[in-house]
Amino acid sequence: MAKLTILRYPDPRLYTRAKPVVTVNAHIRQLIADMAETMYAAPGIGLAATQVDEHIQLLIVDTSETQNDLHVLINPELLVTEGSAEHEEGCLSVPGIYDKVTRAERVTVRALDADGEPFELVAEGLLAVCIQHEMDHLLGKVFVQYLSPLKQSRIKNKLKKRVQETM
């Protein structure tokens, strides 16, 4: 397995709309393994293929404390959204930045698993938030786009300053 490079906001590649996965094959399964290693090492609870510069509809999430409940969603599709709740979110592509975002409280999603088998998942709470957050990445959207233009500008400037300080 190889640890992958996570794209950082405002990298324009983060705004790329992902294409459906046509065939779940050895390449896709290796990408899943590499993404899981990358996500756990970061550490994070979700990662979309878009974030590692693979523009296909693939995301992984694991909201467990023990990092042993990996959900793989290929070509995910939201079937049902219920309720609304505000949660503080962060993102591996926007390190160190957290803010409140309103999302559905409960979702039903249909996807393919790592073997290419279809399944449906009903998720609520943190798992529902994480799935919606990662699905946004597949649509070319980063969570900071839910924030005001002023906050977005401040975040971009803060991240640019961090990059300059490390040079």
Side-chain angles (χ1 to χ4, degrees):
M1 285 192 272
K3 191 170 160 198
L4 305 170
T5 301
I6 298 172
L7 299 178
R8 299 295 170 108
Y9 176 82
D11 190 309
R13 293 172 291 180
L14 289 169
Y15 302 108
T16 305
R17 198 170 185 75
K19 295 186 179 347
V21 172
V22 178
T23 306
V24 179
N25 55 24
H27 169 74
I28 297 296
R29 284 189 285 279
Q30 184 62 54
L31 180 59
I32 292 166
D34 291 345
M35 285 174 60
E37 180 182 350
T38 301
M39 178 186 74
Y40 290 132
I45 60 171
L47 189 64
T50 301
Q51 292 175 272
V52 294
D53 206 19
E54 291 277 346
H55 302 286
I56 58 172
Q57 294 178 11
L58 164 63
L59 65 89
I60 60 172
V61 295
D62 185 347
T63 57
S64 70
E65 293 286 326
T66 52
Q67 297 184 335
N68 66 348
D69 191 22
L70 185 69
H71 296 274
V72 174
L73 289 86
I74 299 170
N75 301 335
E77 175 187 359
L78 277 179
L79 301 177
V80 179
T81 60
E82 299 174 71
S84 176
E86 186 178 70
H87 296 273
E88 187 170 78
E89 292 187 26
C91 181
L92 294 176
S93 291
V94 193
I97 305 295
Y98 301 90
D99 214 316
K100 294 188 183 308
V101 176
T102 301
R103 297 194 186 269
E105 205 166 29
R106 180 180 165 106
V107 298
T108 303
V109 63
R110 178 181 354 192
L112 301 177
D113 66 15
D115 296 317
E117 296 299 319
F119 71 97
E120 286 186 14
L121 172 68
V122 176
E124 52 191 312
L126 182 58
L127 182 58
V129 168
C130 194
I131 288 170
Q132 292 170 86
H133 175 109
E134 300 309 330
M135 285 183 73
D136 274 354
H137 281 298
L138 302 181
L139 298 172
K141 190 170 185 176
V142 181
F143 92 98
V144 296
Q145 292 175 264
Y146 287 98
L147 309 178
S148 72
L150 176 62
K151 280 189 176 182
Q152 289 181 50
S153 177
R154 286 182 178 165
I155 290 167
K156 282 180 188 174
N157 291 335
K158 188 176 193 175
L159 294 176
K160 283 179 189 173
K161 186 177 178 183
R162 274 192 212 156
V163 169
Q164 291 170 349
E165 289 172 353
T166 60
M167 295 176 126

